Every structure is written in C-alpha cells, then in structure tokens.
Amino acid sequence: MSKHLVVTADDFGMSIEVNEAVEEAHRNGILTNASLVVAGAAAADAIRRAKRMPGLGVGLHLAIFGAPAQQSGEAQQMIAPDGENLGEKPVSTGIGIMFSPATRAAAKREIEAQFRAFGQSGLELGHLDGHWHCHQHPTILNLAIAAGRPLGLRAVRIPYEGLGWSHRVTGHRRLGARIGHAVSHAPLAGFMRLRTKAAGLRANDHFFAKSDAGSVSGDQLLGLVQNLPDGVTEVGLHPSTRQRIGIHSPPPDWDSTGELAALTDTRLRPEIERRGIILCRWADLP
C-alpha cells in the first residue's frame, strides 16, 4: 500500500496569529491543509490568504460547543440568526443534541449556517473536522454530512489515534492518555468509519496529535515520518506565530509557536521524499 500524509492546521480564521502561522507553515513547511472557523474573528483574512495559496486545501472547522459564532454579535447575526446559544459545556450540550428536539434543531440550524458561510467564501470544501472534535458526536456528524455533501464535501477527519504506532513515535510520553483515548474513543471511531463509508466520503486511516495536542515537536514529526503506517495518516496541529489570549485561545500550556517550528523543520520534507511518502491535501486523495 502507498503512504499518504495529510497535514492540517486547525483554527484557521480564529486569529491573525493563526492565519500567519498557516501561511508560513504552508509556504515554508509541510502544511497541506487548514480548517476554517467561518465565524472566527479573522475569518475574512484567512479566506484572503487561502485564495493566495491555491495549493492549500481548506475545510470547515465546525464549531458547536462554545462556538465562536455564539460569542460575537456580528458573527452571531451571520451564522446563527435564530439567536440560539448551544452553550459551552460539551457533555451537557452533546446530551441535549442527542435527546432534546429543540437543542438538536438549534444544532442543525447552526451546522447548516456554518456550511453556507463556507460556501459563500468561494473556497473549495475539501474536508470536515471539528473544534474540540465535536464532529465525533453521532448526531452532529449525521447533520454535518447532510449539510456538507450538497456543497461538495469530500472527506471527514476521524480523530482516532491508535496506540501501537503512536507509542512507537513518542515512546512512553503521555502513555496513560494514549491508552485512555484508544479505549474510550474506539466506538466513536468505528461509527465514524461506517458513516463516512456509507456516505461515500474519504476518511483518514490514522491520526496523530490527539494525545500530544499543543506540544508536537519537530523530533516527533520526524519520528512519525520514519514510522508512518500504510494508508492515509492525518496530523492535526494548532500552530500560531504568537501565544493567543482570549476566549477561544488554546490551553495556556500549549506551545503553538513550537508547533509552527515543528511544521517548518527543514529535516522533514527530505525525509518524506526519501521514503516515498505522498504529502497531499484532503482533496487530492482518490
């Protein structure tokens, strides 16, 4: 089997610092995709940058739990005209979406509005993923697929990090978190694989940076390249040119500038080419 590597930056459009990092990592590193927060404070800037980089794949970074669309008056008017606030507590909100018709209807309106906003950007819709991986929720995934397919949605991220090869890449680092994730998220990953296949959508076979979010280094990415399994592997990172501060900023212990440095590590591209790995966008996958 061939080895495809998809490298994605999340939170595109959330801030200028993120947008700068996406452009730097794409032009001078191995970044192939970015996931757009359509109601982010810097979404317009992100769209302009993306149009200057035709080789960058762009998808929707769906935001439901604590969505930016619900925090700004201007964005709320564009994205959520009904004024429904889905809340910032993912567990209780997720339960409500599953069992409450009113909450599920609000989620449906929000999801459809975010896809419409992406369609209005003029960018090709390459893939879907989620803020806080909210698209793992079965109901949210079903609603998102229904809203995205008419707009040309082609692929969906499955944010499941298998224990075996991930452990080979990172050693015993955060081993407890890796084991917990591998066990608890297996049912969700299984559902996502069945659902995306039934919808005729592409999905990754492997994912990296779930357990190491915010602290992925150049050494780790080099180790990943050297241990890359067959099939399609996605790496999902959160690069930034400066530490972000604000309501939708990453946790304070995350090193987003370090992840930008990792993406632009000059050792990576020669090693990728030497091993015959296909570095690509979501939209390039067969």
Side-chain angles (χ1 to χ4, degrees):
M1 292 180 64
S2 60
K3 298 182 178 183
H4 289 75
L5 179 60
V6 175
V7 185
T8 306
D10 290 354
D11 295 348
F12 192 38
M14 196 80 86
S15 72
I16 293 295
E17 295 91 338
V18 173
N19 297 353
E20 292 172 341
V22 167
E23 184 161 6
E24 172 70 15
H26 177 65
R27 294 189 185 279
N28 300 311
I30 64 167
L31 187 73
T32 58
N33 299 273
S35 299
L36 177 67
V37 182
V38 293
D45 176 78
I47 292 167
R48 286 192 294 269
R49 290 176 192 263
K51 289 179 177 178
R52 298 199 302 261
M53 297 182 285
L56 179 71
V58 183
L60 176 63
H61 196 54
L62 185 66
I64 293 293
F65 306 139
Q70 309 294 340
Q71 305 300 330
S72 161
E74 180 181 351
Q76 186 175 3
Q77 187 174 17
M78 177 180 69
I79 300 299
D82 50 41
E84 295 278 1
N85 192 324
L86 294 175
E88 295 193 18
K89 297 180 179 179
V91 174
S92 59
T93 302
I95 293 172
I97 290 172
M98 185 73 76
F99 296 108
S100 165
T103 305
R104 186 162 55 251
K108 181 176 185 290
R109 289 192 293 270
E110 177 70 16
I111 290 167
E112 291 173 346
Q114 290 189 27
F115 273 105
R116 284 197 303 272
F118 191 102
Q120 293 165 4
S121 73
L123 299 172
E124 180 183 6
L125 178 59
H127 67 278
L128 165 73
D129 55 41
H131 195 45
W132 299 0
H133 301 301
C134 66
H135 69 303
Q136 292 181 106
H137 188 292
T139 303
I140 292 175
L141 180 63
N142 285 331
L143 292 171
I145 289 175
R149 286 187 68 191
L151 297 177
L153 178 65
R154 299 182 59 179
V156 175
R157 168 191 291 173
I158 298 179
Y160 181 72
E161 189 172 281
L163 182 60
W165 73 275
S166 171
H167 182 238
R168 288 196 298 275
V169 170
T170 59
H172 293 292
R173 188 172 187 267
R174 298 186 177 179
L175 182 58
R178 289 180 209 291
I179 294 173
H181 165 76
V183 173
S184 64
H185 284 69
L188 286 173
F191 171 80
M192 293 186 77
R193 293 199 187 283
L194 290 173
R195 186 66 187 89
T196 53
K197 184 177 181 180
L201 299 173
R202 197 67 169 89
N204 52 298
D205 302 300
H206 315 281
F207 185 78
F208 183 75
K210 183 71 166 62
S211 301
D212 299 275
S215 62
V216 175
S217 67
D219 286 342
Q220 283 180 298
L221 289 184
L222 185 62
L224 178 139
V225 168
Q226 293 168 342
N227 291 277
L228 199 71
D230 291 338
V232 177
T233 300
E234 185 190 15
V235 179
L237 302 181
H238 299 78
S240 178
T241 55
R242 295 177 297 281
Q243 201 68 16
R244 289 189 285 146
I245 300 174
I247 189 170
H248 296 295
S249 299
D253 61 327
W254 281 24
D255 183 10
S256 295
T257 57
E259 291 203 336
L260 173 57
L263 287 167
T264 55
D265 191 311
T266 57
R267 298 173 295 172
L268 296 175
R269 191 173 287 274
E271 188 70 8
I272 289 170
E273 294 173 355
R274 188 178 75 81
R275 293 178 176 271
I277 295 168
I278 302 169
L279 184 65
C280 63
R281 306 175 303 169
W282 276 109
D284 298 327
L285 294 172

